Amino acid sequence: MDKVMIVTGGSRGIGAATCLLAARRGYAVCVNYRSDREAAEKVVASIREQGGQAVAVAADVASEEQAVALFEAVDRQWGRLDVLVNNAGVLERQMRVADMDAARIGRILATNVVGAFVCAREAVRRMARSRGGRGGAIVNVSSVAARLGAAGEYVDYAASKGALDTLTVGLANEVAGEGIRVNAVRPGFIYTDMHASGGEPGRVDRVKANVPLKRGGQAEEVAAAILWLASDESAYTTGGFIEVAGGR
Ligand code: NAP
């Protein structure tokens, strides 16, 4: 049976590129999404047209109940799990910390941190050798914002990615003996819809001159790093980070 990968937030942007590349590499792919069903079904249709296996599963990872149901849907569909890509992430309108309220900060942390923790937990419960699993890989999609801080834009988002980085290192050490590797990618400015959520759809083009490679990145370039960390080619890498940020 083919290896099975869950990609949270797999319907658009970096997640969608990851699903498409994973299917080309032979994974059966669970395309998770929160609300945009049409986008998720488009990714699934494209994978099936090329002879791959995919299923779209709606679940808001910020809800523990829905995140658990996501993994149970994959249990029913394929009965195995080899890779989790913790990709779902949100940010909100650019704003200074002085203007943020607790509700906003809570929404960012609920998806980007709590959601990633709960999904990682569900993956470990299925992959851990001591629990009858066959091992596996978890790839967290962090951001260079974790080390740069996103001042004046979204420090809450940057801090959530800092927490994700700590989860990556801590969990990697915790489950190394269980046959599970945990790594992260840190993208820089990537052309996706996410910047529109921050209120500036053209953000990548505004800031690209500050990137040493003088351009924004493509979702497919991040997907390639994720797929390497998911694969056996990175068998000796855990608790590690790949920056896909043009040198920023
Ligand atoms: P995007 O284009 O805005 O897509 C976000 C995806 O996440 C969508 O599929 C969305 O589904 C899903 N999603 C959002 N909240 C969710 C939730 N609570 N539960 C389940 N799915 C959820 O974003 P992107 O730019 O590809 O970003 C993907 C990841 O890369 C994020 O973690 C982001 O922080 C990180 N990243 C991006 C950049 C960049 O420049 N784009 C840079 C660094 C890091 P729906 O459409 O159904 O809501």
Side-chain angles (χ1 to χ4, degrees):
M1 147 115 224
D2 292 335
K3 286 191 170 183
V4 173
M5 175 185 289
I6 294 177
V7 181
T8 66
S11 55
R12 296 189 289 113
I14 292 168
T18 302
C19 290
L20 294 168
L21 184 58
R24 283 206 296 280
R25 300 266 169 92
Y27 290 92
V29 184
C30 171
V31 181
N32 160 250
Y33 66 103
R34 181 180 48 183
S35 53
D36 189 344
R37 179 165 175 208
E38 206 181 316
E41 290 296 353
K42 235 170 99 181
V43 174
V44 168
S46 165
I47 289 173
R48 289 186 182 155
E49 268 163 30
Q50 292 173 40
Q53 296 182 74
V55 64
V57 178
D60 180 345
V61 299
S63 151
E64 182 171 24
E65 196 184 343
Q66 291 184 39
V68 169
L70 163 65
F71 283 78
E72 288 172 349
V74 170
D75 293 341
R76 285 193 299 276
Q77 182 80 22
W78 290 304
R80 69 179 277 171
L81 178 65
D82 300 281
V83 180
L84 164 67
V85 181
N86 253 331
N87 167 76
V90 290
L91 48 74
E92 297 194 10
R93 287 192 79 80
Q94 295 171 359
M95 179 182 293
R96 299 175 74 85
V97 172
D99 298 317
M100 287 178 189
D101 61 24
R104 166 190 162 125
I105 299 164
R107 285 191 298 274
I108 300 298
L109 298 182
T111 291
N112 299 6
V113 181
V114 181
F117 261 86
V118 170
C119 288
R121 180 195 77 197
E122 291 303 307
V124 168
R125 287 180 179 175
R126 285 159 176 80
M127 295 171 176
R129 289 195 180 130
S130 65
R131 291 168 177 254
R134 51 165 72 82
I138 297 174
V139 183
N140 294 325
V141 182
S142 175
S143 170
V144 290
R147 60 175 171 73
L148 297 175
E153 294 191 322
Y154 12 72
V155 175
D156 51 352
Y157 167 83
S160 76
K161 296 302 188 180
L164 192 57
D165 286 1
T166 304
L167 167 65
T168 302
V169 173
L171 185 62
N173 288 332
E174 198 168 288
V175 299
E178 296 278 9
I180 304 170
R181 296 182 301 108
V182 186
N183 292 287
V185 295
R186 285 200 201 106
F189 298 124
I190 311 298
Y191 288 100
T192 72
D193 299 341
M194 174 169 259
H195 308 285
S197 316
E200 191 187 359
R203 178 170 174 259
V204 177
D205 285 329
R206 173 175 63 83
V207 295
K208 68 184 180 191
N210 303 328
V211 176
L213 286 182
K214 299 293 176 210
R215 66 173 178 87
Q218 299 296 335
E220 290 73 16
E221 295 178 294
V222 183
I226 293 171
L227 264 293
W228 183 74
L229 289 172
S231 78
D232 291 342
E233 287 181 9
S234 62
Y236 197 53
T237 301
T238 197
F241 297 84
I242 297 181
E243 303 236 336
V244 188
R248 185 163 157 255

